[in-house]
DNA sequence: CTTTACTACTTAACATGTTTAGTAAATTGT
DNA sequence: ACAATTTACTAAACATGTTAAGTAGTAAAG
């Protein structure tokens, strides 16, 4: 067809462009995670918890871009595996407060070097200025009301 | 914790930033797709096929960011639903050549307006220049060797 | 020409994504 | 105080994501 009649070229469509760019960045991270028996989602959860401390599940869902039903299942196994701990909220008993355990934090520490190395490889090829520029634009896009 | 000791803030980590930005853009598109009984993946496949004509499955997988096992299943139902057609490759019989049907193309046409409206809403808030800049940076990131 | 390796896919199994429905606790309206 | 609504989560069902293994067709090596 090659007509570009109905829509923009997919390479200039934001959703696909964002997805493809993400696949590029995630490929080596997925390799790292496979070595430590962790999924991409669990890695995101650990990072959010390390950054935010003890938070309720809805917050994790928002920050890590997961839906609550997925999170329910994932946290169940992460608790069993000792990477996170959960307790019922004290004032609001509907809430489940979650925090990272020492074991979970250790996983982050052990893989920090690899994670940084991947970031540096990308930065070396694109330049820090462009990466910063990209991150600024992405933050701005996130804030758009749709 | 709020220490940012182990890693970058997640908002400045490329994988999460890309994911969050994508969620923002996809939210209204998902609403549109729900109305026409189409998943995000099937929509991507239709757009790639409309753009590229008749291609083999591996090409679709690459362009639409899907793994072949997922694609096998999805194309099976799309063929049943009359949105795409498949035939065995003539010279290389391992290949399966796929193309969009008139019915599939009609789905694209019927939703073009909505799709454009969503893009315009985003553009109105961010400005065309920034969007173009973002798309350029995303294309560049995709091309990085990791 | 035959063995070997590789390519393009398919199948199967399990994790996650996504929607709908349900439950219990908190909040609101009267 | 009490019914109605909302919030935070869980359960279930089905689609897709992901990995490993299998199949058939093709290309390469000897």
């Amino acid at each position: 067809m090659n007509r570009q009649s109905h829509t923009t070229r997919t390479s200039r469509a934001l959703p696909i462009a964002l997805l493809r760019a993400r696949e590029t960045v995630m490929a080596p991270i997925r390799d790292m995670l496979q070595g430590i028996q962790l999924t991409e989602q669990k890695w995101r959860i650990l990072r959010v918890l390390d950054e935010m401390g003890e938070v309720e599940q809805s917050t994790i869902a928002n920050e890590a871009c997961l839906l609550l039903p997925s999170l329910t299942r994932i946290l169940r196994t992460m608790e069993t595996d000792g990477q996170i701990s959960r307790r019922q909220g004290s004032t609001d008993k509907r809430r489940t407060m979650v925090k990272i355990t020492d074991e979970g934090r250790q996983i982050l520490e052990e893989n920090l070097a690899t994670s940084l190395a991947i970031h540096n490889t990308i930065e070396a090829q694109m330049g820090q200025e462009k990466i910063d520029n990209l991150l600024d634009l992405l933050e701005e896009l996130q804030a758009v009301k749709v």
Side-chain angles (χ1 to χ4, degrees), chain A residues 87-135:
Chain A
R87 64 173 184 85
Q88 196 180 35
S90 41
T91 58
D92 188 338
K93 291 180 179 173
R94 290 168 306 180
R95 291 179 158 80
T96 306
M97 305 303 291
V98 185
K99 65 179 170 186
I100 191 170
T101 61
D102 288 340
E103 191 176 333
R105 210 183 309 277
Q106 197 182 336
I107 293 173
L108 287 179
E109 277 167 17
E110 286 169 358
N111 293 280
L112 171 61
T114 309
S115 177
L116 275 177
I118 293 167
H119 189 270
N120 288 341
T121 302
I122 295 168
E123 197 167 87
Q125 286 182 62
M126 266 190 74
Q128 197 191 330
E129 226 174 282
K130 281 183 179 174
I131 300 266
D132 282 343
N133 193 357
L134 175 57
L135 286 168

Side-chain angles (χ1 to χ4, degrees), chain A residues 15-85:
Chain A
I16 295 187
L18 288 163
L19 188 55
R20 287 181 186 157
R22 186 161 194 278
E23 287 306 305
T24 300
V25 177
M26 281 310 297
I29 296 179
R30 268 194 264 272
D31 291 345
M32 171 188 86
L33 293 174
Q34 251 203 299
I36 54 173
Q37 302 292 309
L38 222 60
T39 62
E40 195 186 316
Q41 291 79 358
K42 290 177 181 175
W43 177 254
R44 284 208 303 275
I45 292 169
L46 288 179
R47 293 202 48 181
V48 165
L49 288 177
D50 181 53
E51 182 174 320
M52 304 191 72
E54 188 176 39
V55 292
E56 55 185 301
Q57 296 189 173
S58 300
T59 305
I60 303 176
N62 272 323
E63 294 295 317
C65 289
L66 294 167
L67 295 176
L68 274 173
S70 296
L71 194 60
T72 294
R73 279 178 311 210
I74 296 171
L75 289 181
R76 195 186 299 149
T77 77
M78 290 182 80
E79 188 173 28
T80 303
D81 295 345
Q83 295 149 358
I84 58 123
S85 66

